[in-house]
């Protein structure tokens, strides 16, 4: 098993987005009942590389390793801050540079953070359509955290319950999903002449 990949698009440091991502990862591994490798990709650390990859079509260096961690994982946790009632531009740009089909069938847990509970619908109105287009397999429960969810009392308990439920759903999908066949694009490359002919 390759493990879990966590994509956090938080811009601050520390970040409530990263905090939520870490809690979702912990809940998933707890539900699996065993240690599982978890690779966290902080998009803020790769912002320039994401732009470069969008321009060139090729991720390079440390960013390429981050992309491979996400596309090769058995399950994905994707968490973004909400800006203007949708996911962040950095979050969208990362998924834009992935190869077509890279997330097909991959179990995904969606999470988001925002300054008000009114933005919670961004998960269903923006994130789910994005991952449907990418042909991924989001779990039913998504987790949105507003500032009041981090406090004490009922709100914090409700957040903990939602995190645990979402983590259990992702764990169940990871357990039942067949191991993906990972092809090596460099094993049987397209002849260079054929590539040139396609651009004519």
């Amino acid at each position: 098993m390759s493990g879990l990949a966590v994509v956090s698009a938080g811009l601050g440091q520390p970040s409530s987005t990263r905090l939520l991502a870490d809690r979702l990862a912990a809940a998933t591994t707890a539900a699996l009942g065993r240690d599982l490798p978890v690779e966290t990709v902080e998009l803020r650390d790769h912002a320039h590389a994401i732009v470069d990859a969008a321009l060139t079509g090729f991720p390079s260096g440390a960013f390429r390793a981050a992309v491979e961690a996400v596309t090769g994982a058995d399950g994905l946790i994707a968490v973004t801050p909400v800006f203007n009632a949708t996911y962040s531009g950095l979050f969208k740009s990362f998924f834009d540079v992935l190869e077509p089909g890279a997330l097909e069938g991959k179990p995904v847990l969606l999470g988001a953070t925002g300054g008000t509970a009114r933005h919670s619908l961004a998960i269903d109105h923006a994130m789910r359509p994005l991952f449907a287009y990418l042909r991924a397999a989001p779990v039913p429960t998504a987790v949105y955290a507003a500032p009041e969810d981090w406090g004490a009392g009922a709100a914090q308990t409700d957040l903990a319950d939602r995190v645990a439920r979402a983590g259990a759903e992702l764990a169940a999908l990871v357990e039942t999903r067949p191991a993906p066949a990972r092809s090596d694009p460099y094993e049987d490359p397209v002849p260079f002449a054929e590539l040139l002919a396609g651009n004519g």
Side-chain angles (χ1 to χ4, degrees):
M1 181 171 285
S2 298
L4 296 176
V6 179
V7 171
S8 172
L11 299 180
Q13 202 171 23
S15 160
S16 60
T17 301
R18 174 61 188 270
L19 179 59
L20 178 60
D22 288 345
R23 289 194 182 186
L24 292 170
T28 303
T29 55
L32 285 166
R34 63 179 185 278
D35 287 335
L36 191 68
V38 177
E39 181 78 23
T40 300
V41 177
E42 282 272 19
L43 296 188
R44 67 187 300 276
D45 297 336
H46 300 284
H48 293 291
I50 291 172
V51 174
D52 290 342
L55 294 173
T56 64
F58 299 102
S60 60
F63 180 57
R64 178 173 178 172
V67 168
E68 290 172 349
V70 170
T71 58
D74 296 294
L76 172 63
I77 295 169
V79 187
T80 180
V82 173
F83 297 127
N84 297 322
T86 191
Y87 40 65
S88 74
L90 185 62
F91 184 84
K92 177 63 161 58
S93 296
F94 172 75
F95 290 102
D96 282 346
V97 302
L98 299 185
E99 289 293 320
L103 298 184
E104 185 167 357
K106 191 180 297 296
V108 181
L109 196 171
L110 304 178
T113 59
T116 170
R118 292 194 302 273
H119 290 158
S120 62
L121 291 177
I123 292 178
D124 290 326
H125 290 174
M127 294 181 76
R128 285 195 187 279
L130 170 63
F131 285 91
Y133 177 80
L134 296 172
R135 299 195 298 276
V139 301
T141 300
V143 180
Y144 179 86
E148 56 267 26
D149 292 316
W150 302 108
Q156 186 180 42
T157 301
D158 179 61
L159 176 62
D161 289 345
R162 287 182 284 131
V163 165
R165 183 168 64 249
E169 290 173 358
L170 180 61
L173 274 187
V174 167
E175 288 278 54
T176 58
R177 183 187 183 218
R182 296 184 177 93
S183 60
D184 184 350
Y186 303 103
E187 193 173 278
D188 188 20
V190 177
F192 187 64
E194 191 175 321
L195 287 173
L196 287 177
N199 291 329

